[in-house]
Amino acid sequence: MKKTVADYVLTIPDFPEEGIMFRDITTVLQDPDGFALAIDEMQKVLENTEFDVIAAAESRGFVFAAPLAR
């Protein structure tokens, strides 16, 4: 069965407080296949979009923005 990006994301229930499902992408960044899949999927979303700049507004967004900008 083919993996999705969601398969690489760790879900931590009730963090930082009860009722919140925290999605940790560290596990995506630690796995070469998961990271490549995430970049490939984001690239597909941008496939027909013209742009001059990619801004990474999240604390680890630059990790994804650099390969997308390339």
Side-chain angles (χ1 to χ4, degrees), residues 1-60:
M1 187 164 113
K2 187 174 179 181
K3 283 187 140 184
T4 67
V5 175
D7 294 326
Y8 291 94
V9 176
L10 178 64
T11 300
I12 304 168
D14 299 323
F15 180 81
E17 59 187 56
E18 190 172 333
I20 294 177
M21 299 296 282
F22 179 75
R23 311 287 186 200
D24 185 7
I25 64 162
T26 303
T27 48
V28 175
L29 300 174
Q30 291 175 333
D31 188 293
D33 293 331
F35 182 68
L37 181 60
I39 296 299
D40 290 347
E41 291 298 317
M42 285 187 263
Q43 192 171 9
K44 285 180 192 174
V45 171
L46 297 172
E47 199 168 64
N48 297 312
T49 304
E50 289 190 37
F51 56 88
D52 295 320
V53 175
I54 293 180
E58 185 263 327
S59 62
R60 292 184 283 184

